[in-house]
Amino acid sequence: MSVVPFIVAGVVVGALYGLAATGLVLTYKTSGIFNFAHGAVGAATAFLFYDLRHLRGLPWPIAFVLSVFVAAPVLGLGLAAMAARLSQAPTVQRVVATVGVLLVVQGAVQLRYGIVPIPFDTPLPTRSFDIGGTIVGLDQLITIGLAAVALAALGVLFRRTRLGLEMRAVVDNGALLDLAGGVPARVRALSWMLGASFAGLSGLLLAPTVGLDAVLLTLLVVQAFGAAAVGRFDNLRLAFWGGVAIGVGQYLLRAPAVRGAVPLIDALPGLDQSLSFLVLFAVLLVAGRRFPTFGVTRPARGLRPWPFPVQVAAVLGALAAVLTLPFLAPSRAPVLIQGAVFVTIFASLYLLVEISGQVSLAHAAFVAVGATTFAHLTRGAGLPWGVGVLGAVLVAVPMGAVVAVPAIRVSGLYLALATLGFGVLVEQMVYSRPVMFGDLGQRFGSRPRFFGLDSDARYFWLCAALAALALALVVVIRRTRLGRLLNAVADEPVALATFGCSPQVTLVLVFCLAAAMAALGGALSVGVVGSVSASGVSPTALVSFNSLLWVAVLALAGRHPLRAPVVAALAMVVAPSFFSSPNMAQYLTIGFGLAALVASVGSGALGRRLELRHPADEARIRYSPVAARLRRPAVSSPEVTVHA
Amino acid sequence: MPEPAGRGAGLAVRGLTVRFGGAVAVDGLDLDVPRGRITGLIGPNGAGKTTTFNACTGLTRPSEGMVSLDGHDITVAPPQQRARLGLGRTFQRMKLFESSSVGTNVALGREALMAGGNPWRHLRQPRRDRRAIAAAAAEALALCGISPLADVPVADLSTGQRRLVELARVVAGGFSLLLLDEPSSGLDVSETDDFGRVLEQLVGERGVGILLVEHDMRLVMSVCAWLHVIDFGRPIFQGTAEETQGSATVQAAYLGAVA
Ligand SMILES: Nc1ncnc2c1ncn2[C@@H]1O[C@H](COP(=O)(O)OP(=O)(O)OP(=O)(O)O)[C@@H](O)[C@H]1O
Ligand SMILES: [Mg+2]
């Protein structure tokens, strides 16, 4: 069979990735906010079309216009307003804000339409033609046509209208953009409306390939991240062609002729789906240093410690709770154990995000590696519990070092994207392999059998004790040399290097440490119910999507090294068990998403309560070097003719 | 023109050229920064002074030319290795560790060097180190007159105070050669005079060498023993402060920049 039909199909899908990528880069360049919710916008638009067309019976052109040209741009306007408020915000806050949108949109779609994928036929006519021996569908031609029309419209806008010219001036500006005053609000608003429309069109036309599944569709549009990377997050045209190239590459990897010629492809199942993330990871690794960066990258922190008596009371209270809980609520034992495990996991995330300023979106992968390694060593190889835990921790260390490599090369948003790419790659390409979860997607293991630690109460105490150790480790690190160096790496890695410390070493250390702690959590989590699985919809499931959720939840939980991980675990794992609803996972996703959104951008009463920024940060932003430079009067030309 | 420095001692720059795409930021620059005196590097805005610093400290790869420190060729060495050889710098666009206090910032100037590239030394902090760090930080803070600010978060400082923290941090590092990029901008007149005395003290008592980039000509003329003037990346003059003030070439360059 010839490869031509695969190339045609690849071009069609690739044009849609390219369209989405164009919209993504457009919004990023005009606002400095990278839209993690871009895929969710696409998915939501497709669902809306389905609702209007199939559930309400509107004629398809009306449904099409309402979803792609009305609903999506309105959502875009909302995002533009959000982006405007984030223009000076630190990276974590920028990432968490659009992740919040992603969570809300995705949760809402799942709540409304369920989590079972809905088959969705293309709304386009599917007659096919024979063009020079290749069968081409009319829908394929129309799809390419629509993408071309959208791009042509953008081109006309750029060339023929005032607003478009202004927009192009912003987009073409390769230099660092000072967003505080740089971009006119109308340019930003229009960009976000266009960006959302492009995402919507792309989501709608991609939907027939996977059916209406909120998660899959989001992930499909997120392929645009790889294309945007090809366009260096900077160049619209390159981003579009990057999308086409990724689409063609994906379909070529599926073509029997290619697979026959390159046997390696069959040895790497999932490579086609993951191609975009591979590209994202690789491009950031190789060239990420030269991509545009925006604004302040790190908040300053002002920690107000509790008064000493309150601290003592809190510690004693926590101790009493840990000791008595298993007896007070024996039926909730699994939830409590899982909660304790997640304190360890959140502590390791805190080490990266808060102390080191590294937004890592691959945490679920670290936990999964720990869990499966533990299962292999104990249930698989029959080794003792302790050896299993130790092995899990040790195996995660080199993995942490691997993720540290992008951290050495890039920081801020690009690190977040590189780690996201890494997490998705591991999930799509390694989870299903025998080294991890295997074909069945599940591994088994048990609790330690000595000292009666396999009882619920005692296993809970064990996990709580290890969580306390993890927290103590974080506190100790903060106070010692490593903590100071990590803070310095987060603030000014370049300055640190000019003072003789190798930031690479510091970063590798913290990623190894965090990976090891996360893997410890993973190993312990196997003992909660005796198994661990590769998929799931609960907030604790080890899917890469949850890495985003965890970062958002931790950011919401505050920045105190002891309180934040505990509060995050209580809120995400323990509290939900008190409510019983079949849609709990969706409510949680929406709830955390909303909270993350409000916390990042809100300035009202609720926003202040949840604020990710400390009031002192405002002062810091005011006094930041950038602001200082703006305040500094232009250096008048110095006089050389001063007479001594 | 007299050759100002002994060969091999201190920082030596030969034929340094830095291009950004097509633009030439530094073009065939020769510099000598010996220890025990203050050398000035002046020129109009955009002349290439900061770019020269970046090339000397390993933040920008030179297109051509050579940088050496006490005879070691460091043209392509990473920044941390240059620091370990005794080269320290401040930044025109200040790069303070924003989330830390003044004291921690200054102490990190020394601690970063001790941690170096050794993972073990990142984790361990022997008591001897801690004492050395505390002593170096206290001395640097006192020298720069900001001891009372030690516990203040750097984010709460004025621009002038932040400049002094930058200086104190590099002083605490114990480097034998300092590259200072507009260290006095943001200071008022009396603070600038104090600042000049601090520099002279560093040179007189510790014998360090300083390369000073500064737009405040009063300060430059009063402390620099030797001046290099560059314009559009090219060296246009070098000499003592007096010779420089009298030079028609230099005046033309600055007047050209005004026009
Ligand atoms: N990273 C860069 N990419 C492109 N051009 C650059 C870069 N850094 C500096 N330049 C250019 O090189 C030239 C020299 O800049 P440099 O900052 O070294 O000047 P300067 O002498 O320090 O000026 P000032 O007195 O304003 O600090 C300028 O024209 C500047 O625009
Ligand atoms: Mg400069």
Side-chain angles (χ1 to χ4, degrees):
Chain A
M1 196 172 151
S2 137
V3 296
V4 178
F6 286 91
I7 294 182
V8 172
V11 170
V12 172
V13 167
L16 296 175
Y17 297 160
L19 198 60
T22 308
L24 187 63
V25 174
L26 188 63
T27 51
Y28 179 55
K29 283 266 350 217
T30 49
S31 67
I33 303 300
F34 187 89
N35 188 9
F36 279 87
H38 203 63
V41 173
T45 309
F47 273 97
L48 182 65
F49 176 85
Y50 162 80
D51 194 314
L52 296 173
R53 172 87 185 93
H54 296 276
L55 303 183
R56 294 173 206 272
L58 290 184
W60 79 260
I62 297 183
F64 181 78
V65 168
L66 282 181
S67 49
V68 176
F69 294 119
V70 179
V74 168
L75 191 54
L77 269 183
L79 290 169
M82 183 186 85
R85 311 197 58 159
L86 291 169
S87 67
Q88 292 286 311
T91 309
V92 180
Q93 207 173 323
R94 287 158 187 244
V95 171
V96 166
T98 57
V99 165
V101 177
L102 165 67
L103 297 175
V104 172
V105 171
Q106 201 164 83
V109 166
Q110 288 186 344
L111 202 57
R112 174 86 176 75
Y113 304 100
I115 54 169
V116 181
I118 303 168
F120 180 71
D121 289 330
T122 175
L124 305 173
T126 50
R127 247 175 314 125
S128 51
F129 303 93
D130 188 326
I131 300 178
T134 304
I135 309 293
V136 178
L138 186 56
D139 55 331
Q140 293 183 315
L141 289 178
I142 295 179
T143 300
I144 294 185
L146 281 173
V149 167
L151 290 176
L154 186 66
V156 170
L157 179 81
F158 269 180
R159 247 165 265 131
R160 295 286 153 80
T161 66
R162 245 190 93 81
L163 192 54
L165 281 174
E166 279 181 58
M167 194 191 272
R168 195 166 64 156
V170 175
V171 174
D172 287 349
N173 185 345
L176 296 185
L177 202 54
D178 193 339
L179 292 153
V183 185
R186 55 181 186 282
V187 167
R188 228 181 293 172
L190 182 64
S191 306
W192 279 93
M193 287 165 71
L194 283 171
S197 251
F198 282 15
L201 187 59
S202 164
L204 177 57
L205 294 174
L206 282 169
T209 60
V210 286
L212 287 171
D213 175 315
V215 176
L216 276 186
L217 207 47
T218 300
L219 212 54
L220 210 55
V221 181
V222 167
Q223 309 267 359
F225 289 10
V230 173
R232 318 172 77 209
F233 299 95
D234 187 60
N235 184 320
L236 298 181
R237 212 173 295 239
L238 263 181
F240 176 79
W241 289 113
V244 173
I246 287 173
V248 171
Q250 267 183 349
Y251 275 80
L252 280 180
L253 286 172
R254 290 175 194 161
V258 176
R259 291 166 61 163
V262 189
L264 187 66
I265 297 172
D266 282 328
L268 295 170
L271 182 62
D272 53 342
Q273 286 177 57
S274 314
L275 186 63
S276 165
F277 297 97
L278 203 60
V279 169
L280 176 67
F281 190 71
V283 170
L284 283 168
L285 211 58
V286 174
R289 254 187 244 241
R290 277 168 289 157
F291 295 167
T293 52
F294 297 94
V296 193
T297 51
R298 182 148 192 263
R301 48 237 42 234
L303 276 184
R304 280 164 300 185
W306 285 347
F308 187 68
V310 180
Q311 287 185 21
V312 172
V315 169
L316 290 179
L319 201 62
V322 166
L323 288 177
T324 54
L325 268 176
F327 304 112
L328 294 179
S331 63
R332 288 192 201 286
V335 172
L336 292 174
I337 298 169
Q338 185 76 295
V341 167
F342 263 80
V343 170
T344 304
I345 293 171
F346 277 120
S348 73
L349 196 55
Y350 182 95
L351 199 56
L352 287 177
V353 178
E354 270 297 319
I355 299 187
S356 327
Q358 312 290 315
V359 181
S360 164
L361 298 176
H363 229 61
F366 291 151
V367 178
V369 163
T372 50
T373 307
F374 171 80
H376 278 299
L377 290 177
T378 54
R379 188 61 60 91
L383 294 168
W385 181 85
V387 176
V389 172
L390 195 67
V393 168
L394 291 180
V395 165
V397 169
M399 190 170 162
V402 169
V403 181
V405 174
I408 289 168
R409 312 268 317 169
V410 295
S411 63
L413 169 72
Y414 297 118
L415 174 66
L417 281 173
T419 53
L420 176 72
F422 180 82
V424 174
L425 273 181
V426 172
E427 183 184 20
Q428 291 189 340
M429 296 191 61
V430 195
Y431 273 23
S432 63
R433 321 227 73 201
V435 285
M436 284 188 75
F437 294 96
D439 291 333
L440 297 177
Q442 201 170 27
R443 291 287 175 206
F444 301 89
S446 38
R447 300 175 183 175
R449 292 195 208 292
F450 46 90
F451 304 134
L453 283 171
D454 50 352
S455 80
D456 277 350
R458 292 192 179 194
Y459 192 61
F460 170 66
W461 288 332
L462 175 68
C463 292
L466 289 171
L469 266 181
L471 290 174
L473 184 65
V474 170
V475 170
V476 167
I477 287 175
R478 277 185 82 229
R479 298 213 175 139
T480 51
R481 174 177 289 176
L482 182 62
R484 287 188 289 275
L485 295 174
L486 288 173
N487 254 313
V489 160
D491 287 337
E492 288 293 354
V494 170
L496 191 64
T498 61
F499 278 94
C501 170
S502 305
Q504 299 87 324
V505 174
T506 322
L507 283 169
V508 169
L509 267 176
V510 71
F511 269 93
C512 291
L513 214 58
M517 278 167 72
L520 171 66
L524 295 174
S525 75
V526 180
V528 177
V529 292
S531 73
V532 59
S533 90
S535 55
V537 291
S538 83
T540 55
L542 303 181
V543 293
S544 58
F545 173 73
N546 275 344
S547 298
L548 296 163
L549 175 70
W550 297 351
V551 168
V553 171
L554 182 65
L556 282 170
R559 43 183 36 161
H560 190 279
L562 296 177
R563 262 178 276 157
V566 174
V567 170
L570 284 176
M572 196 184 83
V573 184
V574 179
S577 76
F578 288 87
F579 307 92
S580 62
S581 155
N583 294 323
M584 200 55 218
Q586 283 77 42
Y587 288 130
L588 279 179
T589 311
I590 296 175
F592 286 125
L594 267 181
L597 195 59
V598 172
S600 318
V601 299
S603 60
L606 182 60
R608 268 198 299 277
R609 279 213 66 69
L610 291 170
E611 203 145 27
L612 299 183
R613 287 181 287 175
H614 187 273
D617 296 353
E618 304 289 345
R620 261 162 236 230
I621 287 167
R622 229 176 322 122
Y623 289 121
S624 73
V626 179
R629 195 169 41 104
L630 292 176
R631 274 201 316 278
R632 193 180 114 194
V635 185
S636 57
S637 86
E639 288 183 43
V640 218
T641 47
V642 181
H643 297 291
Chain B
M1 235 173 282
E3 177 64 33
R7 293 211 145 264
L11 180 73
V13 172
R14 291 292 173 266
L16 181 71
T17 301
V18 182
R19 294 190 198 93
F20 294 113
V24 186
V26 179
D27 192 0
L29 183 65
D30 291 342
L31 276 182
D32 281 289
V33 187
R35 294 200 178 72
R37 78 165 201 211
I38 302 178
T39 309
L41 176 63
I42 62 172
N45 287 125
K49 306 179 293 291
T50 300
T51 307
T52 304
F53 272 28
N54 288 345
C56 290
T57 50
L59 304 184
T60 302
R61 181 73 51 99
S63 314
E64 281 163 39
M66 191 184 100
V67 182
S68 70
L69 189 60
D70 298 329
H72 301 279
D73 182 351
I74 55 166
T75 314
V76 294
Q80 53 268 32
Q81 193 186 329
R82 302 177 197 224
R84 285 169 213 152
L85 289 171
L87 186 64
R89 72 169 287 179
T90 66
F91 295 88
Q92 179 181 2
R93 275 187 66 178
M94 288 177 279
K95 291 184 189 292
L96 294 175
F97 304 126
E98 292 293 330
S99 54
S100 310
S101 68
V102 170
T104 307
N105 264 272
V106 174
L108 269 168
R110 175 55 73 83
E111 189 158 34
L113 201 59
M114 290 174 164
N118 181 336
W120 182 237
R121 291 188 137 265
H122 273 65
L123 297 170
R124 245 173 60 87
Q125 40 183 1
R127 182 154 305 156
R128 191 156 37 88
D129 277 16
R130 246 181 295 174
R131 271 200 297 268
I133 292 168
E139 198 185 331
L141 285 167
L143 187 71
C144 300
I146 49 173
S147 303
L149 296 178
D151 292 327
V152 180
V154 287
D156 299 345
L157 302 179
S158 71
T159 310
Q161 290 168 325
R162 294 166 61 88
R163 288 275 173 218
L164 294 176
V165 177
E166 274 247 328
L167 181 70
R169 185 176 62 174
V170 80
V171 167
F175 301 104
S176 62
L177 272 163
L178 301 181
L179 310 186
L180 308 180
D181 200 349
E182 303 198 17
S184 83
S185 74
L187 302 183
D188 64 27
V189 177
S190 81
E191 285 172 330
T192 305
D193 289 343
D194 293 343
F195 186 81
R197 275 191 286 280
V198 171
L199 296 188
E200 282 171 337
Q201 214 173 330
L202 278 173
V203 173
E205 291 174 10
R206 300 194 182 183
V208 304
I210 294 180
L211 180 63
L212 178 67
V213 163
E214 191 47 75
H215 280 302
D216 184 333
M217 285 305 136
R218 217 169 55 93
L219 176 66
V220 170
M221 296 304 164
S222 69
V223 300
C224 292
W226 193 259
L227 279 170
H228 291 264
V229 188
I230 60 174
D231 192 13
F232 295 113
R234 275 187 298 276
I236 57 169
F237 188 83
Q238 59 174 308
T240 63
E242 261 152 44
E243 289 165 2
T244 308
Q245 285 182 51
S247 157
T249 330
V250 176
Q251 290 199 18
Y254 273 96
L255 290 175
V258 176

